Amino acid sequence: MISLSNIKVCFGDFVALHDISMTVEKGEFFTLLGPSGCGKTTTLRTITGFIKPEIGSVKVGDEEITHLEVEKRNIGMVFQNYALFPTMSVYENIAFGLKVKKMGKAEIKSKVDEIASKVELDQDQLGKKISQLSGGQQQRVAIARALVTSPPIICLDEPLSNLDAKLRVQLRNELKELQRKFGITTIYVTHDQEEALTLSDRIAVFNKGKIEQIGRPDEVYNQSASEFVCNFIGDINKLSKDFLDKAGAGQRGIDTNKSCYIRLERMYVNNHQENHIDSEAVVENFEYYGLYIKYTINAGGTQLKVIEKNSGASMYKMGESIKISFDPASVMQF
Amino acid sequence: MKYLQTMNRKKLVVGLIYLGLLWFLLVMLVIPNINTVLFVFWQDGQFTLRAFERVLNSTRAMNALRNSFVLAPALSITVGFIGVSLVLITEYFAVKGSKILRLGYMTTLVYGGIILVSGYRFLYGRGGYLTNIFAAINPYFNVNWFEGFWAVLFVMTFATTGNHIIFLRNAMSAVDYQTVEAAKNMGAKQFTILRRIVLPVLIPPLLAVTIFTFMTALTATSAPLLVGGLNFQTINPMILQFSRMAGSRDLAALMAVFLGVATLILVALLSRLEKRGHYLSASKVKTSIVKQKIHNPVVNVLVHVYAYFMFVVYVAPVVLIILFSFTNSATIGRGQLSFSAFTFENYVNVFSRVSSYRPILVSVGFSLAASIAVAVVVIVVCRMITKHKNRLSTVIEYGFMIPWLLPAVLVALGLITTFNQPRWFMMNRVLTGTMIIMVIGYMIIRIPFTLRITRAAFFALDDALEDAARNLGAKSLYTFFRVILPIILPSVLAIFALNFSQLMQDFDMSVFLYHPLNMPLAVQIQTLTEEAAADNTAITFVYAVLMMVVSTVVLYLVYGRGSKVRE
């Protein structure tokens, strides 16, 4: 549906994007994930036309839009702070793009009403000023404004980043619901791995202006393509060579000379299973999260973290000796 | 191909706008000032220091210079003392009726410059209301007592404390009350807390305001003109006199350049002080100041007496101007109020005689034209400097601040000496003596303030709004008028109103540039005040009341309703 081929973007001497290529399928929820300054927003702004690449092309279907002006692209966009026009009412904000297209008043009204009902904004809210709306309502106005001109693609640039944790989760669910309802191709930028994992059909993980991995959420989590990806997504233990050698991991298909990582939840405490690698450890500290408990343990000089579901039973005490085990297949090697 | 054509068209438009702004910068702000300097050093085709010799040999010029440099430090001290004491009375100590007192002390914000000077002259000058009372009590009282250095110092002291009230009041609100409580907790006495905790916070803004006062004294015009008498004329009135004599224009230019250099040095000092910054509270939770009750009963009474005495000094001229504006000429002449003398006659006269209302129309016309023009030009400048960050836009940004560094008199002289002959860069049109030079002069003196506030409004704009509009298909011009302008409009309107009000009262620029047939209000007031006939005084009072109404309405609209603009 939309494809980027060999995109290179420079700001003076600084190369912001190196040879970016990716394709987003029709109706897909595609997330650009990465830390600040990794190039995800630059990629989004290249797609929307605010930035022109030095090299490479952007295509929607078969149409090349690399040099098409922003105003003519018809790609919807929801900005980080929503960028709602403060001097206009909710109705005027949503109608803005239609007025620019010089549509008749009646047509504008019918389109605004239609989209407003889809995002659950009532007539009373349409007459309000932006400042009179809650964060959630503002998000719906921003989405309605971006969708009212029926763009084939919508881009969202960290629309939840300014909100508190509770509202973020609530709006995340609403967003997903709306995307399903409209079935629109969505490109979503975030630095929040949890947001990316819960919302996306596929994720592109960015680092230093390059794509490290594109894949489904479970793929990037369980089969990270690089050290950066496995470190960036989720909590992880780095297994030292010393620890692996002492545990005899070399005989179990693990190349101990490589950088080896394992997810916290893939290490078990006092729960040996067949084919697992075992090691003795001592509890050094714990953090109580309610749903689970995170233990910091020392396994022969290597500090590791493990999590245990909170079953209500007594917790391990500091200084207590435990036995940890893990499946060698769960170890990611780079 | 189409993309390239669109890009080229955009570049052409931007280039033309840059060209227009550069023309304005060079022709209005740079060339006239260079021309004034050349006028001093370059005569009959060669370099000369003749103007220096003439100034050094002129007793009047040297006296004016000396007087200015006596007035400036003296005024800085008196204004500093009174300004700080008034702020402490209204903001720090628990003085009864402090809200009313504050309003009284702020009256000079409503009536400044020429109106204030003429008001004080009516009260204290020869034949003035209070002078008459003093003379009635003591027949040997010198009725010309209100003239010379002390009169100028007195008038200007009360005329310029407005800045202290505004800036020190803000600084006082920055005092974290928890620091006062901490000092109390450690056993500090009331005076120690004031001296060691509160006053140090006020020192940086106090120094800045003092430099500003020093500059105001150096460029004083209306006070020495009206109450300085023959023996106490300062630089600006002298420049005015010299500039009106064909053979002495080089003297005027040299003194204006001298004033310009002095202002530049003071602005540099001011900027260094600003960079040093103000004290900021380091508290996690700042607490507002709580008014301090003065424990010593004698000091408390003395402070109250002082506070209300100052209130009377500030308010009396305003009240008397308003009251006497509703009395007949005979009452004004006698300086004695009675109920039977009240009439609307003066107002009817002003609005029914062409010669009386013409200055109002002239000032309204010039002020409106200049306020609109400066708003438009500055909006274009701000749009360019926020949209296109490059060397040219930086040059334009700093170039447009030039008038901030120069006294109005230098700008005015520059315009007069530059455009008194055809110039190719002004399409060979002579501007001196025309109405357009007044508008240009008015525009120039309001550019720095307008630019500072408008630029702040533009920088406060969220770039994403413009991106959003473009993303929704809007072109640049449509985005500007539909999205950007409505957001900055409140600031622009506030600046417009402040500019209009200030220009309505402008004397310093007007007195140099006005055409005798189109005399603006402030110059008319000065002329009428100098003539000192009762009929004239009545008209002056009506003018003064009208100006006060305009200022009050503008100040209320801009500051009183919580607008974002703060001068």
Side-chain angles (χ1 to χ4, degrees):
Chain A
M1 176 64 194
I2 180 160
S3 60
L4 275 68
S5 309
N6 311 106
I7 295 287
K8 183 182 180 187
V9 170
C10 300
F11 300 123
D13 293 337
F14 174 70
V15 183
L17 294 181
H18 305 257
D19 198 24
I20 296 292
S21 296
M22 62 185 212
T23 303
V24 181
E25 299 302 332
K26 192 175 177 184
E28 193 175 23
F29 196 116
F30 192 90
T31 296
L32 313 182
L33 173 70
S36 299
C38 67
K40 55 193 187 298
T41 296
T42 306
T43 305
L44 194 81
R45 290 176 74 81
T46 306
I47 293 168
T48 45
F50 292 114
I51 292 172
K52 299 278 184 288
E54 307 265 318
I55 306 171
S57 68
V58 182
K59 280 185 180 175
V60 175
D62 293 328
E63 189 194 355
E64 159 110 31
I65 60 161
T66 319
H67 294 293
L68 195 65
E69 285 173 75
V70 181
E71 300 92 291
K72 293 174 183 166
R73 292 206 176 189
N74 197 23
I75 294 177
M77 180 148 178
V78 176
F79 291 79
Q80 192 165 4
N81 56 2
Y82 306 138
L84 297 171
F85 306 132
T87 52
M88 298 180 199
S89 67
V90 171
Y91 180 91
E92 287 168 325
N93 261 278
I94 299 174
F96 187 89
L98 302 172
K99 273 189 187 165
V100 171
K101 288 187 188 318
K102 296 192 168 70
M103 276 188 189
K105 273 189 180 173
E107 197 180 355
I108 289 175
K109 180 152 181 17
S110 102
K111 280 192 178 278
V112 171
D113 286 347
E114 187 189 337
I115 198 89
S117 76
K118 277 186 183 167
V119 297
E120 293 172 13
L121 287 167
D122 58 35
Q123 286 297 324
D124 180 41
Q125 286 162 333
L126 285 179
K128 284 185 176 173
K129 287 272 173 206
I130 296 303
S131 55
Q132 294 172 295
L133 302 183
S134 68
Q137 288 165 338
Q138 286 185 9
Q139 188 195 47
R140 276 181 268 155
V141 176
I143 291 171
R145 187 179 72 175
L147 293 180
V148 74
T149 52
S150 311
I153 301 152
I154 183 170
C155 295
L156 300 101
D157 186 6
E158 305 209 36
L160 307 179
S161 65
N162 295 333
L163 307 173
D164 64 65
K166 202 171 173 185
L167 190 59
R168 206 158 55 223
V169 173
Q170 181 198 326
L171 293 187
R172 193 163 77 194
N173 296 333
E174 280 189 27
L175 198 62
K176 185 73 186 168
E177 189 60 37
L178 281 172
Q179 198 264 342
R180 278 201 194 115
K181 198 189 284 184
F182 288 102
I184 187 169
T185 309
T186 304
I187 303 173
Y188 187 91
V189 163
T190 184
H191 64 269
D192 184 331
Q193 31 144 332
E194 192 180 299
E195 224 168 82
L197 293 173
T198 51
L199 282 171
S200 318
D201 294 321
R202 278 193 306 149
I203 299 171
V205 185
F206 277 71
N207 181 31
K208 293 179 182 169
K210 291 178 184 163
I211 294 178
E212 296 261 346
Q213 185 176 7
I214 297 178
R216 294 190 317 270
D218 60 309
E219 282 172 351
V220 291
Y221 187 81
N222 293 327
Q223 294 136 40
S224 302
S226 67
E227 263 188 281
F228 172 81
V229 175
C230 77
N231 269 302
F232 185 73
I233 295 182
D235 220 348
I236 203 152
N237 282 313
K238 184 167 187 180
L239 304 174
S240 68
K241 178 174 168 48
D242 183 47
F243 169 79
L244 289 170
D245 285 342
K246 278 182 190 164
Q251 287 87 53
R252 309 290 294 275
I254 295 174
D255 183 349
T256 59
N257 291 316
K258 285 186 173 175
S259 294
C260 296
Y261 293 88
I262 188 165
R263 298 279 173 205
L264 273 59
E265 68 276 12
R266 300 294 164 89
M267 294 194 99
Y268 303 98
V269 181
N270 293 341
N271 184 16
H272 174 75
Q273 287 172 37
E274 212 172 321
N275 299 326
H276 277 199
I277 297 172
D278 297 323
S279 176
E280 300 292 332
V282 175
V283 176
E284 283 190 336
N285 200 1
F286 65 85
E287 295 160 51
Y288 185 81
Y289 286 91
L291 192 64
Y292 59 90
I293 303 131
K294 189 186 277 183
Y295 293 97
T296 305
I297 58 168
N298 191 314
T302 299
Q303 202 172 58
L304 300 168
K305 285 184 176 173
V306 292
I307 55 171
E308 282 274 282
K309 193 179 159 196
N310 183 8
S311 60
S314 62
M315 301 188 308
Y316 301 111
K317 295 183 178 52
M318 284 201 279
E320 189 175 337
S321 294
I322 54 169
K323 188 170 266 186
I324 54 165
S325 61
F326 57 93
D327 185 347
S330 301
V331 176
M332 289 186 263
Q333 305 172 53
F334 304 101
Chain B
M1 195 62 195
K2 207 176 167 189
Y3 168 71
L4 287 176
Q5 277 176 350
T6 315
M7 284 308 290
N8 286 337
R9 204 171 51 233
K10 274 185 183 170
K11 277 184 182 167
L12 185 70
V13 172
V14 169
L16 284 174
I17 294 172
Y18 268 131
L19 214 59
L21 292 177
L22 274 177
W23 173 84
F24 188 94
L25 176 63
L26 288 172
V27 173
M28 306 295 179
L29 306 176
V30 177
I31 292 175
N33 294 309
I34 291 175
N35 211 37
T36 309
V37 177
L38 284 179
F39 195 71
V40 174
F41 293 103
W42 201 262
Q43 282 174 22
D44 304 325
Q46 56 184 4
F47 178 78
T48 175
L49 293 173
R50 202 166 65 96
F52 280 87
E53 286 168 28
R54 292 189 65 197
V55 166
L56 289 171
N57 291 327
S58 161
T59 317
R60 286 197 303 160
M62 291 309 288
N63 278 345
L65 282 169
R66 195 200 63 217
N67 289 342
S68 284
F69 279 93
V70 169
L71 179 65
L75 188 70
S76 304
I77 293 166
T78 54
V79 171
F81 177 78
I82 292 182
V84 171
S85 67
L86 298 187
V87 171
L88 289 177
I89 285 168
T90 55
E91 312 299 326
Y92 185 67
F93 290 119
V95 174
K96 287 193 171 64
S98 62
K99 281 185 183 166
I100 298 286
L101 289 173
R102 189 190 298 132
L103 273 181
Y105 302 152
M106 288 175 102
T107 46
T108 50
L109 296 175
V110 175
Y111 80 122
I114 193 86
I115 311 172
L116 182 134
V117 182
S118 63
Y120 273 67
R121 200 170 119 135
F122 173 70
L123 263 187
Y124 303 108
R126 186 189 167 88
Y129 185 69
L130 283 175
T131 304
N132 284 352
I133 294 174
F134 298 149
I137 299 166
N138 174 11
Y140 300 105
F141 185 77
N142 176 14
V143 291
N144 291 321
W145 72 287
F146 198 69
E147 197 175 280
F149 168 72
W150 294 106
V152 174
L153 184 64
F154 182 83
V155 170
M156 290 195 70
T157 297
F158 293 104
T160 50
T161 43
N163 291 319
H164 279 65
I165 310 261
I166 292 172
F167 292 108
L168 295 187
R169 197 180 157 205
N170 282 345
M172 184 64 85
S173 66
V175 174
D176 182 359
Y177 189 61
Q178 286 186 13
T179 59
V180 174
E181 286 181 325
K184 270 187 189 171
N185 179 255
M186 287 183 270
K189 294 247 163 54
Q190 201 165 32
F191 182 68
T192 312
I193 294 173
L194 177 64
R195 191 169 55 86
R196 299 290 304 277
I197 309 292
V198 177
L199 288 180
V201 179
L202 302 186
I203 283 175
L206 182 63
L207 284 175
V209 182
T210 304
I211 292 175
F212 196 70
T213 308
F214 200 92
M215 280 159 63
T216 311
L218 282 187
T219 55
T221 312
S222 47
L225 257 183
L226 288 182
V227 297
L230 285 174
N231 295 325
F232 197 79
Q233 287 307 307
T234 53
I235 300 175
N236 256 8
M238 206 44 62
I239 294 173
L240 186 60
Q241 281 188 25
F242 285 142
S243 70
R244 284 175 178 166
M245 294 184 275
S248 298
R249 288 212 168 140
D250 56 335
L251 289 183
L254 175 60
M255 289 176 83
V257 169
F258 175 78
L259 214 50
V261 172
T263 312
L264 266 175
I265 293 168
L266 291 170
V267 168
L269 209 61
L270 199 66
S271 148
R272 272 191 66 164
L273 277 176
E274 271 183 357
K275 273 185 193 150
R276 243 201 263 165
H278 294 195
Y279 294 110
L280 294 174
S281 168
S283 303
K284 277 183 275 183
V285 187
K286 201 168 96 52
T287 316
S288 303
I289 198 101
V290 174
K291 293 260 184 98
Q292 301 293 295
K293 199 170 182 328
I294 301 169
H295 301 313
N296 186 324
V298 179
V299 177
N300 194 21
V301 169
L302 287 175
V303 168
H304 275 79
V305 169
Y306 172 78
Y308 281 91
F309 173 72
M310 294 309 272
F311 179 78
V312 172
V313 173
Y314 274 91
V315 172
V318 185
V319 172
L320 288 173
I321 287 174
I322 295 171
L323 286 178
F324 277 101
S325 76
F326 290 101
T327 63
N328 54 41
S329 308
T331 310
I332 293 170
R334 283 197 308 275
Q336 287 168 343
L337 278 171
S338 67
F339 277 109
S340 58
F342 277 88
T343 171
F344 284 101
E345 190 186 311
N346 301 329
Y347 287 85
V348 173
N349 284 344
V350 165
F351 287 105
S352 59
R353 287 188 211 149
V354 179
S355 60
S356 299
Y357 68 70
R358 190 175 167 81
I360 301 175
L361 293 181
V362 168
S363 273
V364 168
F366 283 138
S367 305
L368 261 183
S371 304
I372 293 170
V374 77
V376 172
V377 170
V378 168
I379 285 174
V380 175
V381 170
C382 289
R383 179 77 175 156
M384 297 307 275
I385 60 182
T386 46
K387 280 278 284 179
H388 308 272
K389 290 186 180 78
N390 53 43
R391 277 188 196 161
L392 197 56
S393 66
T394 310
V395 167
I396 286 172
E397 183 179 1
Y398 286 107
F400 270 75
M401 290 304 280
I402 287 175
W404 189 59
L405 303 172
L406 304 173
V409 59
L410 184 63
V411 175
L413 270 183
L415 290 174
I416 292 170
T417 53
T418 306
F419 299 115
N420 61 358
Q421 51 186 293
R423 302 277 190 182
W424 62 267
F425 47 76
M426 192 39 93
M427 289 144 283
N428 288 327
R429 292 191 60 180
V430 175
L431 299 182
T432 305
T434 64
M435 287 200 280
I436 198 150
I437 202 164
M438 277 285 286
V439 178
I440 292 172
Y442 277 8
M443 274 178 77
I444 291 173
I445 50 169
R446 298 312 298 170
I447 282 175
F449 166 69
T450 313
L451 184 57
R452 281 175 81 145
I453 307 291
T454 314
R455 188 177 56 178
F458 266 92
F459 277 115
L461 272 176
D462 183 359
D463 288 343
L465 292 174
E466 199 167 343
D467 285 349
R470 289 184 64 200
N471 177 257
L472 291 164
K475 294 230 166 90
S476 196
L477 213 58
Y478 186 88
T479 305
F480 179 76
F481 283 107
R482 287 281 294 143
V483 178
I484 309 294
L485 198 58
I487 297 172
I488 60 161
L489 202 59
S491 296
V492 171
L493 287 177
I495 300 161
F496 170 80
L498 283 171
N499 282 345
F500 177 75
S501 159
Q502 293 285 316
L503 290 173
M504 281 291 288
Q505 297 187 28
D506 176 81
F507 178 72
D508 294 12
M509 182 65 84
S510 314
V511 77
F512 281 91
L513 299 179
Y514 78 93
H515 187 279
L517 293 176
N518 291 311
M519 197 180 268
L521 209 43
V523 180
Q524 177 78 347
I525 289 177
Q526 185 237 347
T527 313
L528 295 176
T529 308
E530 279 185 340
E531 287 169 11
D535 267 354
N536 289 348
T537 312
I539 295 171
T540 309
F541 287 166
V542 174
Y543 289 156
V545 171
L546 290 176
M547 281 195 183
M548 282 194 255
V549 169
V550 169
S551 295
T552 310
V553 169
V554 166
L555 287 176
Y556 173 72
L557 289 176
V558 176
Y559 296 111
R561 301 194 312 168
S563 164
K564 287 173 193 167
V565 179
R566 293 284 182 273
E567 187 163 17

